[in-house]
Amino acid sequence: MKIHVEPTKQSLGEAAAALGASAIRAAIAARGAANVVVATGASQFELLAALVRRDDIDWARVTAFHLDEYIAMPESHPASFRRYLKERFTSRLPALGAFHFIEGDAPDLAAELARIDALIAAHPIDVLFAGIGENAHLAFNDPPADFEATEAFRVVALEERCRRQQFGEGWFPTLDDVPHEAISMTIPQMMRAGLIVLAVPDSRKAQAVRDTIEGPVTPDVPASILCRHSACHLFLDPPSAALLRQIPDTAGA
Ligand SMILES: O=P(O)(O)OC[C@H]1O[C@](O)(CO)[C@@H](O)[C@@H]1O
């Protein structure tokens, strides 16, 4: 895993977007199209803002997916990930080729899972942008995460720490309002991406970052599996890097 410690959240977002953009351009040059996954949450604000400003990408050739969505939440809810992405991504990229949203409030969840599994199987992912939760989750795969899942998306239960984080970020009026279930991309599906670009700012992520990089690869630290990916870049700011004993593989090294 390549670690980049950027001086600010803004430069973190710009550097992560620049790396992703070069891989998107390379995929378009090689195949005429690129497939990407984008993430949500407070950690992705600066990255998405920088990504939608990139005018060096032929966005019409890009097909996009996202990582996760709450079950039974209408898109009009302030915490809906579809709403988040329509406000911060698709509305800023009118030329975008396609965006396949996870309909977490679909009446038939099995049919919805089958639909998005088939779609992503037809679109091998070139670049996956993601964050890491305070509990080191990847997408909504809370600990202990399933590193062996065979499907691309599944329904998952959200653990207490994860629900507290969502409440703490201000997306819900009370903890009780945070859903207990979501549809999440599975970890094996995330690991199939050609390039993984992680944007992880803020001191509240410092322990998860340390456990991810310095601890063993274990389902109890879902993001630790990323150490086994051949092209994974982790963008930190000084507060999120604060607990690292050393920066093992700095950018450009
Ligand atoms: O920015 P946050 O809220 O810390 O989220 C980090 C990760 O967790 C998820 O938001 C799921 O909660 C992912 O989409 C994101 O990559």
Side-chain angles (χ1 to χ4, degrees):
M1 190 185 299
K2 209 82 156 154
I3 314 294
H4 310 246
V5 183
E6 292 291 330
T8 67
K9 273 193 211 189
Q10 278 67 34
S11 63
L12 182 164
E14 276 155 27
L19 176 66
S22 68
I24 294 169
R25 285 198 310 273
I28 292 172
R31 289 201 328 272
N35 301 317
V36 307
V37 173
V38 290
T40 52
S43 62
Q44 306 302 303
F45 287 156
E46 292 79 15
L47 163 63
L48 289 176
L51 198 57
V52 298
R53 283 198 301 270
R54 303 289 314 193
D55 56 10
D56 54 353
I57 295 172
D58 183 356
W59 287 104
R61 294 178 181 274
V62 176
T63 296
F65 294 82
H66 65 126
L67 285 174
D68 39 22
E69 179 58 291
Y70 296 106
I71 299 274
M73 179 181 283
E75 195 186 305
S76 55
H77 190 290
S80 157
F81 290 164
R82 286 166 292 170
R83 175 173 172 167
Y84 173 111
L85 289 164
K86 285 180 184 179
E87 287 176 0
R88 295 174 178 81
F89 195 71
T90 56
S91 66
R92 313 283 171 97
L93 293 172
L96 186 69
F99 196 109
H100 297 297
F101 289 102
I102 303 166
E103 309 292 342
D105 55 352
D108 181 346
L109 284 181
E112 176 60 9
L113 290 172
R115 183 186 73 84
I116 52 178
D117 263 45
L119 273 170
I120 208 159
H123 293 87
I125 300 302
D126 299 295
V127 185
L128 181 141
F129 297 98
I132 295 176
E134 290 173 27
N135 63 355
H137 76 191
L138 277 185
F140 264 138
N141 299 286
D142 286 335
D146 184 355
F147 289 170
E148 312 294 333
T150 52
E151 67 275 56
F153 291 90
R154 62 165 52 168
V155 173
V156 293
L158 305 183
E159 68 150 36
E160 179 75 10
R161 272 185 305 168
C162 169
R163 294 180 60 253
R164 283 191 183 282
Q165 178 189 328
Q166 305 306 324
F167 170 61
E169 284 188 15
W171 302 105
F172 297 93
T174 73
L175 181 59
D176 285 344
D177 293 309
V178 184
H180 289 263
E181 284 187 312
I183 293 177
S184 177
M185 189 177 289
T186 61
I187 287 190
Q189 174 60 39
M190 293 178 75
M191 291 291 281
R192 282 195 276 277
L195 171 71
I196 297 181
V197 179
L198 301 163
V200 187
D202 290 338
S203 58
R204 63 195 172 88
K205 302 292 176 66
Q207 186 64 49
V209 166
R210 179 180 180 168
D211 293 344
T212 295
I213 298 169
E214 297 184 354
V217 175
T218 165
D220 294 332
V221 181
S224 63
I225 191 75
L226 296 170
C227 295
R228 296 199 178 144
H229 193 279
S230 59
C232 179
H233 290 247
L234 173 58
F235 289 85
L236 305 173
D237 63 359
S240 64
L243 295 181
L244 293 179
R245 277 185 276 263
Q246 57 176 353
I247 308 298
D249 184 12
T250 47

